[in-house]
Amino acid sequence: MNAVRGWTPITKADNIPLREGRAVLVGDAEIAIFHLEGRYLTIENKCPHKGGPLCDGIVSGTKVVCPLHGQRFDLETGMPVLASQPGCVAIFPTRVDDGVVFVDLGGACKAGEEAAA
Amino acid sequence: MTTQTMKQQLVVVGNGMAGVACVEQILKQPHNFEITIFGDETHANYNRILLSLVLAGEKSPEEIVINDIEWYQTHDIRARLGVKIVGIDRERRVVIDEDGGETEYDKLILATGSSAFIPPIPGVDKKNVHVFRTLDDTRALLEQARPGLKTAVIGGGLLGLEAARGLQVRGCDVTVVHLMDTLMERQLDSTGGEYLKRKIESLGIRVMLPQQTAALFGNGRVDGLRFASGEEMEAELVVIAAGIRPNAELARRAGLEVRRGIVVDDYMATSDPHIFAVGECTEHRGQTFGLVAPLFDQGRVLASAITGNTGQAFTGASPAAKLKIMGVDIFSAGSIDESEPGVEAVTYEDPALGTYKKLLLKDNRLHGMILVGDIEDEHLYMEWMRSGTDLTPHRRQILFPPRDADPGREVADMPDSETICGCNGVRKGDIIQAIHARGITTLAGLKESTRASTSCGSCTGLCEKLLRAVTPDFQEETRTTLCACVPFSYEQLRDIIRGQKLKSVEEVLNVYGNRKGCEVCKPALSYMLDMVWCGEHEEDRSARFINDRVHANIQKDGTFSVVPRMRGGVTTPDELRRIADVADKYKVPMVKVTGSQRIDLLGIKKADLPKVWAELGMPSGQAYTKGVRMVKTCVGTEFCRFGVQDSTRAGIELERRLENLFTPHKFKMGVVGCPRNCAEATVKDLGMVGQEGSWQVVVGGAAGKSVRKADLLITVETTDQAMETCDLFFQYYRENANYLERSYDFVERLGIEKIRKETVYATDADKKKLLDRLARSKALAKDAWLERETPVHATQFVQIQPMEVQRT
């Protein structure tokens, strides 16, 4: 498997407009990076409901709303907002260094799981 | 000369609300007065309690004028504005002005009002320290207010909070500093105060309490506040709102009985039988006044007494106060002192909803109340309190009194003398009289003729109930709240956006909403801003659905569909060839003829959109958005044996006129050349149906989830007239429909007759306004697909590639 691990420089922070998300395919993982006032959060770019591209969703506070059927996820925890929604999405530790967004792709965690060591 | 023919001189000192309201009452009675009003402010009489709305930009200074100069002229009242009275000679019955001028009186009314109380804090005389009491104070604050200005408001009472909100709406960075440990402590208990504090903080205003200001420091200009605790706070503007004091000095010097205010009896007479007093300068049975409702009552009593029609006495007023901050509902009335013997409290609270209710009962009668977050039942409670209703039968449901059963009951329970609109002093009886005298059927009509509900708007619900109860054919104006993030009706939001000059979704959400917004309100606000400012708003793509970020329709697999504009459903071999080439080159999985006489290319990747558009060389068909979709046409006179109008050409022209504009919901049109209706114009949002020598313009049709035959708007003779009619309806729908309200719901909600009145039958001036706004919007509307050349953001369409991939 072509897995990518550790802090990986992804793209210039400027490439992600405020309160929007952008998808990036890194190895075989498609991630969605969001820009919220001064911070960047990354989740897997696939809605567990019907696979919708979460990067294209409208951001509401720290939540994103899937553009296909309105499922909502918390960008900080990956948790669905409603208990009735199917599943959660993986989240990835994200930081910005010198104007570049770094994502720790090995650090994916799903809600309720500990981050990989 | 007999006394009947000789006019008596009535002099009123004070041109504020109480004095002038009293004069208005005197004018309604038979009287024999020549009236002179002195006012030390140079303005005509204005509604002081609405100054906070002027500060917040919800009203202009002109809008709060109650009596303009013409009113004084019409009633032969001498208005001496900007003239200050400095003395009263009771022996000679004259008042003396600043310049030594004397004016004789037979009767004198003192309506000198009150002044801001300035606490004895060192430094209050520095520059940039203001009070908030008059129109001039308000103007001075407005001159200073600017985004980011560090502002401290000293005083967390009604006025302080309203001033704080007004300045914050202007962009100032506001902190409220309050001496007590509860905001509005005279009206609220500590729990109510805590709910209020949370709400105020959620609006973005800092609250410091209990915090005693020890000094204002700065060299000439104020630089900040020093507190008794020793802490300091920076401030470039300080507003003092620490309460009011009756202006009783003039009366005191004249030797009238004065305690805190000018002492008056139950008929508003002072200790001198020729001199009366009314309003905030008075003290009645030990009580002074700072809220408007009792002042109107005093004015009525005095008007009767002074004209010799002595009737009802003034027996005092139980305090009632309402905060005028949009979105913060606070009402308090009566005694809120729970420790009084025999008083029991019934309370309810829901922290998540921000609702807190407390009713204080004494002998099973309502004695006082605090309502936070839900003030629906305010009038019923006030009526219970006023009438001393025995609440034993209501005890089980006292916090949530049942409604519905008899919706007219609440207003039926009110006496005619009950004040409905406290801001403008309009009573139930006045409203009923106006409804009958002028045949009023709408809230708008009522507002226009009585001024009720035109000020703070808190009596709107009650006015509607009254209208419903009294008017035979009441027309409801429906209002729906947009969403929990920004809990206002569409109508209010349009007013807010216009009034506060808000230009972006973020501004609206930050000031009037929860600072987050969601997928429901953000696109709605985007639309409203675009419509209100005719395209001159600040477009924020993050507030729009993905379709409007990339100008294509997202499909279930995350790809997009592309529908180029094909005006009137007419195309050319060249266009078809290009479409075919694009379909081949990008391996488009499906090419589909749509129901709108266009061609849909399905399954395009986001990154390919700009290239696809360029190669098609056709404009966007807006098939992905709440906007102008298409005009479907038949072949009309061009080829058809039956056609009587050139529907194809008219359809293409109509599409050109309206394309690239946004609408509350998708907007489909059709033009047919004869009543056979082959292009189904009568089930479109807007249709033109050709007839021999004329066009029928039809609106509000549908053939989707609902099927509805369009209503005839009007029949016109020429194609030009038909086009203009289409423009009128189109813009009217854009401006008045709620977001996501299709034209068929809109037409049913308003009724076709009202729509006719306000479009095709409107005055030429009103029609021109609609058409001008449409033209302004149209001038800025662009083919969205041109963003292929000038994207709004570098990665609008681009698929981001990772910088470097570290392999394991």
Side-chain angles (χ1 to χ4, degrees), chain B residues 5 100 162 164 212 218 226 270 307 353 382 437 447 462 562 704 755:
Chain B
T5 54
E162 289 178 7
Q212 188 181 352
R226 185 171 304 118
T270 66
T307 53
L353 287 178
M382 282 302 278
K447 285 179 177 178
L462 202 57
V562 167
I755 294 174

Side-chain angles (χ1 to χ4, degrees), chain B residues 555 559-563 579 582-584 586-593 599-604:
Chain B
Q555 305 296 308
T559 64
F560 292 86
S561 93
V562 167
V563 181
I579 291 170
V582 165
D584 273 345
Y586 294 92
K587 301 193 171 49
V588 172
M590 182 184 272
V591 181
K592 167 106 183 51
V593 174
I599 293 175
D600 194 352
L601 303 167
L602 291 130
I604 311 261

